[in-house]
Amino acid sequence: MSKNWRPATQLVHGGTTRSNHGETSEAIFMTQGFVYDSSEAAEARFKGETDGFIYARYGSPTNDMFEKRMCMLEGAEDARATASGMAAVSAAILCQLKAGDHIVAARALFGSCRWVVETLAPKYGIEFTLIDGRFLENWENAVKPNTKVFFLESPTNPTLEVVDIAGVAKIANQIGAKVVVDNVFATPLMQKPLELGAHIVVYSATKHIDGQGRCLGGVILSDKEWIDEHLHDYFRHTGPALSPFNAWTLLKGIETLPLRVRQQSENAARVADFLAEQSQVAKVIYPGRKDHPQADIIARQMKGGSTLVCFELKGGKEAAFALQNALDVVLISNNLGDSKSLITHPATTTHKNLSDEARAELGISPGTVRFSAGIEDSEDLIEDFARALKSVQG
Ligand SMILES: *Cc1c(COP(=O)(O)O)cnc(C)c1O
């Protein structure tokens, strides 16, 4: 297995092991346990003297292929595949913290991530500070003697703000804190948090990695030392393991990740440019456009523009609902990263639990709409928006 393969090759061949049948496609090992040739062999396996699997909650062959392939893509030493993105986020955060520790997190977080920081962690005596993560001085000012973890998403959901990952990592390293990056919106192809200095990367593999709306999954990637010290035992004994069937689905998904993400980003860029010209649209936020407020950071840390577009309609909620209802190719769904184009109105769905002030802080207004580009022909998407916008007041 070559470490020098380029991503598209890694994603087809990386981590593959074949059974004695020599199958082309990766095998699905739906097994809970493993058998040993002798009592001595079982003893040696448990002592860690021989390599091999013990129990599927700890690890299993199909999951191992998925983890190895993700490590190659991310440039990580080790990984654990989880049953969902939230299993990955909660494990990555909780496994390394104890009562009395402090997390600093950017407030623009996926709803469930924010719940983990704001509601779950304090139950166990873990303190938190939520900040506007766009400004490095906010990270610096939030640091306390007990700060152990910095947590952020970039670009953020749904307003596609970005956080200077290298800048945050520098501050974290000065105090020995770990930076956890939820890299879902960038995808592993457009942003490499570990190269930028982050310590731990988490994904909801449910999104672009499956990318075809089939199963939930997640993954945590880091260096071997951190995984051995913090995640290894937590993972074994709390049981967030991914089903081998879903690991196989994700292995098949990542084979085509570069093709899908390229098409999705091209479609997102075209739709963003089209929307920016429309009289009903107040503003468009797309990391691939020069008018993104943080275009300089994006140029430094991202290789592409994202598969998501955020825009605001002048007519508020009424206009947003009218647009969504009139779209035909683009489907109304709170999911993202799918090969089908999806659209959502954050204020009434994904971000409905936030207070009006909290939504305003994140830049989510009643007219804010999030578009997740699929892999359809961009002409059909533009035609769909052009037709649907006719039912929206300009
Ligand atoms: C979807 C998502 C999650 C949660 O992933 P699940 O697979 O749904 O558990 C976490 N973070 C971000 C940014 C997401 O988009």
Side-chain angles (χ1 to χ4, degrees):
M1 287 290 168
S2 170
K3 281 220 152 104
N4 298 324
W5 283 338
R6 289 160 189 84
T9 311
Q10 289 169 353
L11 292 180
V12 175
H13 296 288
T16 303
T17 49
R18 294 197 161 80
S19 79
N20 56 2
H21 299 297
E23 62 281 353
T24 310
S25 172
E26 297 73 6
I28 310 175
F29 290 91
M30 287 301 289
T31 183
Q32 298 166 344
F34 301 85
V35 297
Y36 311 93
D37 289 340
S38 64
S39 319
E40 290 76 12
E43 184 182 34
R45 188 77 54 86
F46 270 74
K47 278 186 173 165
E49 291 168 358
T50 57
D51 286 338
F53 298 103
I54 291 176
Y55 189 55
R57 170 153 40 78
Y58 297 2
S60 59
T62 313
N63 294 37
D64 192 55
M65 288 190 253
F66 173 62
E67 288 163 354
K68 290 210 164 76
R69 199 172 287 182
M70 282 302 303
C71 282
M72 289 181 97
L73 175 63
E74 199 68 44
E77 288 174 7
D78 205 0
R80 291 291 182 277
T82 58
S84 69
M86 284 321 302
V89 169
S90 56
I93 290 183
L94 295 177
C95 77
Q96 57 180 326
L97 293 174
K98 59 180 185 321
D101 289 343
H102 175 237
I103 317 176
V104 181
R107 66 192 179 195
L109 290 178
F110 182 78
S112 299
C113 296
R114 199 159 154 159
W115 183 86
V116 168
V117 172
E118 267 186 316
T119 307
L120 182 65
K123 278 197 187 181
Y124 300 100
I126 299 162
E127 298 170 32
F128 71 92
T129 306
L130 286 180
I131 58 164
D132 182 342
R134 287 174 296 175
F135 307 104
L136 286 178
E137 61 268 29
N138 293 347
W139 294 91
E140 229 157 359
N141 294 339
V143 166
K144 295 190 194 180
N146 53 345
T147 303
K148 294 285 161 56
V149 168
F150 285 174
F151 178 43
L152 64 96
E153 248 174 77
S154 184
T156 63
N157 176 33
T159 47
L160 308 174
E161 293 172 355
V162 298
V163 178
D164 178 348
I165 297 172
V168 173
K170 212 170 144 198
I171 299 167
N173 286 334
Q174 282 162 5
I175 58 159
K178 297 290 182 189
V179 179
V180 180
V181 175
D182 180 337
N183 205 39
V184 166
F185 272 52
T187 81
L189 298 168
M190 287 191 220
Q191 179 168 276
K192 299 261 189 267
L194 298 178
E195 283 175 15
L196 295 165
H199 306 93
I200 298 120
V201 183
V202 290
Y203 287 100
S204 165
T206 313
K207 310 296 164 53
H208 306 81
I209 292 173
D210 171 41
Q212 289 150 90
R214 300 170 294 197
C215 70
L216 301 180
V219 61
I220 307 166
L221 302 117
S222 185
D223 55 61
K224 210 174 166 328
E225 190 186 332
W226 182 85
I227 295 215
D228 286 349
E229 188 181 335
H230 295 284
L231 186 60
H232 180 83
D233 286 351
Y234 182 100
F235 188 87
R236 284 186 165 204
H237 305 307
T238 63
L242 178 68
S243 156
F245 185 85
N246 291 350
W248 176 81
T249 308
L250 297 172
L251 272 166
K252 296 286 100 185
I254 46 178
E255 287 186 349
T256 57
L257 182 73
L259 302 175
R260 286 182 286 106
V261 167
R262 190 186 313 144
Q263 178 75 21
Q264 286 173 302
S265 315
E266 280 172 21
N267 286 355
R270 280 211 62 192
V271 167
D273 288 344
F274 170 80
L275 290 171
E277 300 295 315
Q278 307 308 307
S279 60
Q280 301 93 330
V281 176
K283 71 170 170 193
V284 171
I285 310 167
Y286 180 63
R289 276 174 64 87
K290 288 201 181 64
D291 61 2
H292 189 288
Q294 299 163 287
D296 54 328
I297 301 175
I298 292 165
R300 279 208 304 276
Q301 73 182 23
M302 291 183 72
K303 293 190 188 75
S306 166
T307 64
L308 291 123
V309 180
C310 181
F311 59 101
E312 195 177 315
L313 290 162
K314 290 176 187 162
K317 176 180 170 187
E318 200 186 324
F321 274 34
L323 173 70
Q324 293 199 141
N325 291 340
L327 287 165
D328 189 18
V329 179
V330 181
L331 307 172
I332 303 172
S333 172
N334 48 288
N335 204 2
L336 62 98
D338 202 275
S339 55
K340 295 178 170 62
S341 284
L342 306 174
I343 197 155
T344 192
H345 181 245
T348 54
T349 60
T350 53
H351 292 71
K352 81 163 183 15
N353 289 338
L354 293 181
S355 65
D356 290 348
E357 297 82 51
R359 267 198 299 275
E361 274 176 4
L362 299 181
I364 303 169
S365 76
T368 301
V369 180
R370 186 191 76 193
F371 170 66
S372 169
I375 60 172
E376 301 93 342
D377 191 309
S378 62
E379 288 302 324
D380 288 320
L381 297 175
I382 303 282
E383 280 173 26
D384 204 28
F385 273 104
R387 196 187 37 72
L389 278 166
K390 293 206 175 93
S391 37
V392 178
Q393 299 279 312

